Amino acid sequence: MVNITPFQGYRFNPNVIENLGDVMAPPYDTVSGKELDSFYEKEEHNIIRINKGISYPEDNETENCFTRAAAYLQQWISEQALMQEERPALYLYQQEVQYKNTTYTNQGVVGLLELQELGENILSCEQAHKDVKGARYTLVEKTAANISMINCIYLEYEKDLMNFLNQISDKNAPDMEFETPETVVGGNVRQRVWVITDTEKIAFIQEHLKNQTLYIADGQTRYEVSLEYQRQCRENNPNHTGKEPYNYIMTLFTNAFNDGLVQLPVHRMVSFPKNFSEDFFIACAQDYFKIEKIIIDTASQDFIETMKKQIATTRRENKFGFYCGGKYFYRMTFRNEAYLKSLLPDKSDAYRSLDVTVLNQLLLGELLNIPEEQHAERIKYTTRITHGVEAVLSGEYGCMFIMNPVRAEQIRGVALARERIPERSIFIFPKASTGVVIYKM
C-alpha cells in the first residue's frame, strides 16, 4: 500500500510576481550553460536560484550555492513572494504542449508520497545519477524543502482517476495559469494548476492510488536522496514517529496510459581520445547487427526526420541509427539475442530487450571499449538529434547513436523484475516545471 497525503505547499504570490511563468524553470538536470544564465536574468525570484544555484571561485563552507538557496527561500517567504496554502491540499497539475504538430495535454496529481524502501509498492525504473547525488542531498539538507517534484507513473487502463480529474478541470477555473518556454522541443507549455482542498475529493484520490504500484519515472536520484535524508533525521530524532515532514517526498502521480504523456528517446554522443575508425567499427559490428548504409542528400531537418523514421519500429526489435558525419548514416538492427543472453544470463528478458542494454553491452562496451565507469567522461546525452549532429560535424564528438524511446511496457517489465534501466534512458515529456509548488519540511 502507498500513502498519499495533502500538504500546505508554498506557491508564488501573483500579487508580487507579475508573470508566474518568469519564475519557473525546467528540471535542474536539463539546464546548463547559457540557459542557466538566461533564467537568472529573467526574474529576481526565478526558482533556478534555489534549485540550481551558480557556484563561484570564492565559495566556502558557509557561503556557497546551497547556503544561498536556503537564504533565498527564507527571504522569499518573508517578503511574501512565496505564500503557504491556508489548508492542506492536493494539486491537479496540467501541461499542454505542441509536439510534432500534435497537442498533448498531460495532467496528474501532486501530493506527498510517504517514503518507503524501494521494492514491493514503489519501484525504481532507472539507475540514479551518482554524479549529482551529493549535491541534491546538500540542497535538501540546507533548505529542508522539496523544490521540485518527482514523477511516479501508475498503470490504470480504465482511467477512472483521470476521468475524475477531468471533471475537476472541466468544471472549475484554474488557481494558477501561465506559460513557460519548452527547452527540449521548442515552443511554449501552457500550464494550469487547480488547488484541491475538498476532503471528499482528496479521499477519492487517496483511495484510488493506495493500491497502485508506483514506478519512479523521473526523480530516482531525488527519491534515494530523500530516503537518506529520512534516515539521518530519524537517527537524530529520539522521538521519531514516522509522521514527521521528512518522511514524505513531493510527487506528481500520472497515469502511464495518459495520451498526453510522451516518452522521448535519449541519444548518445561519443568522444574519443584518439582517432575513430568508422570502417573498422562497422566491420566489427556486422557480427551482431544487420547494417544498412542510408544516403540522404537533403536539407538538415529532412535528414534528421528521415533518420527517425528509418529506425522507428513497432516490433520488439533493437534498432539504432549510427552517425559519424556526412550525408549518410547507418541503420543497425540487432540480430544476436543468444549472444547477449550469454553475456547477461542473470538479467530478465525485459532488461535484455532494452535498446540501451544492447548499446551499453555491445556497441559501447565490447566494440568501442567504453566501460560504464567511463560513460560520464566519454558520453553526452541529448533528446535532440540536431544537437548531436551539430556536435559530430564540428568535431566535438566522434559519433552519435540515435535511439528509440523506452516503451511503457518495458519500464513496467524491468521494474517488476526488480531491475533498473541504465541511467539517462527515460525522458518523460513534458517534464514538470520547478517552482509550481514547494514542499517545506
Side-chain angles (χ1 to χ4, degrees), residues 236-295:
N236 295 322
N237 181 9
N239 300 312
H240 173 82
T241 65
K243 296 302 178 184
E244 294 85 357
Y246 57 73
N247 293 290
Y248 301 87
I249 184 170
M250 183 169 62
T251 303
L252 170 63
F253 305 93
T254 51
N255 188 351
F257 297 103
N258 184 343
D259 295 335
L261 194 64
V262 183
Q263 284 280 3
L264 293 182
V266 184
H267 313 292
R268 271 72 170 160
M269 297 172 284
V270 185
S271 63
F272 298 93
K274 299 179 180 179
N275 291 335
F276 165 68
S277 172
E278 172 188 337
D279 293 338
F280 182 74
F281 172 79
I282 292 298
C284 294
Q286 288 177 344
D287 290 341
Y288 310 113
F289 296 86
K290 175 185 176 183
I291 299 178
E292 302 162 276
K293 186 174 183 178
I294 300 175
I295 298 172

Side-chain angles (χ1 to χ4, degrees), residues 291-429:
I291 299 178
E292 302 162 276
K293 186 174 183 178
I294 300 175
I295 298 172
I296 310 171
D297 189 7
T298 185
S300 59
Q301 191 55 46
D302 291 337
F303 180 79
I304 289 165
E305 290 303 317
T306 301
M307 282 198 285
K308 292 179 184 178
K309 292 176 182 177
Q310 288 291 335
I311 69 166
T313 178
T314 57
R315 300 170 57 188
R316 294 188 176 182
E317 60 183 355
N318 306 107
K319 276 190 178 183
F320 307 87
F322 174 66
Y323 180 72
C324 46
K327 293 188 176 182
Y328 63 91
F329 74 101
Y330 297 94
R331 180 169 59 195
M332 310 179 71
T333 306
F334 185 52
R335 60 179 185 181
N336 202 329
E337 294 179 9
Y339 180 63
L340 184 64
K341 189 171 184 177
S342 71
L343 293 177
L344 301 170
D346 298 329
K347 292 293 186 179
S348 67
D349 290 340
Y351 185 88
R352 288 194 297 266
S353 77
L354 297 169
D355 289 347
V356 70
T357 300
V358 178
L359 177 83
N360 286 350
Q361 287 294 317
L362 298 178
L363 294 171
L364 296 179
E366 192 160 316
L367 297 179
L368 294 179
N369 195 28
I370 305 175
E372 288 193 22
E373 55 267 24
Q374 292 184 18
H375 284 194
E377 177 186 353
R378 300 275 304 277
I379 298 170
K380 186 174 181 180
Y381 305 85
T382 180
T383 57
R384 303 186 71 174
I385 297 178
T386 305
H387 291 168
V389 169
E390 292 172 351
V392 172
L393 289 174
S394 70
E396 182 181 1
Y397 289 89
C399 67
M400 176 187 186
F401 291 99
I402 299 104
M403 311 289 290
N404 281 309
V406 179
R407 301 188 302 273
E409 63 267 23
Q410 289 179 305
I411 294 175
R412 180 176 183 272
V414 172
L416 287 176
R418 301 298 190 267
E419 296 168 333
R420 297 192 188 186
I421 295 171
E423 64 178 345
R424 293 185 172 91
S425 300
I426 299 174
F427 195 100
I428 283 188
F429 171 81

Side-chain angles (χ1 to χ4, degrees), residues 47-107:
I47 197 68
I48 203 77
R49 285 176 165 79
I50 297 176
N51 202 41
K52 191 171 183 175
I54 294 177
S55 296
Y56 301 102
E58 62 271 21
D59 282 350
N60 53 49
E61 289 187 4
T62 58
E63 177 66 25
N64 52 61
C65 63
F66 304 111
T67 59
R68 286 191 290 271
Y72 280 128
L73 183 57
Q74 290 303 323
Q75 176 188 333
W76 296 351
I77 291 173
S78 298
E79 65 188 24
Q80 296 190 328
L82 284 168
M83 296 283 288
Q84 189 174 27
E85 219 71 63
E86 293 181 359
R87 298 165 59 190
L90 297 178
Y91 301 86
L92 168 54
Y93 180 34
Q94 183 185 92
Q95 297 169 287
E96 183 179 290
V97 64
Q98 288 277 336
Y99 177 58
K100 291 185 176 180
N101 300 317
T102 301
T103 299
Y104 291 91
T105 303
N106 179 42
Q107 67 179 16

Side-chain angles (χ1 to χ4, degrees), residues 125-181:
C125 302
E126 191 179 32
Q127 291 176 0
H129 299 167
K130 298 176 183 177
D131 52 334
V132 299
K133 217 170 181 179
R136 290 294 100 186
Y137 182 90
T138 305
L139 181 64
V140 173
E141 183 182 45
K142 296 298 183 184
T143 61
N146 290 166
I147 307 302
S148 59
M149 61 191 80
I150 70 167
N151 189 185
C152 284
I153 59 175
Y154 60 95
L155 298 118
E156 185 208 18
Y157 296 91
E158 297 81 7
K159 301 183 180 180
D160 291 339
L161 179 55
M162 194 159 63
N163 292 334
F164 178 77
L165 298 177
N166 286 337
Q167 292 177 16
I168 295 175
S169 59
D170 289 344
K171 295 179 180 179
N172 301 276
D175 295 280
M176 295 172 66
E177 187 167 9
F178 54 91
E179 285 193 355
T180 56

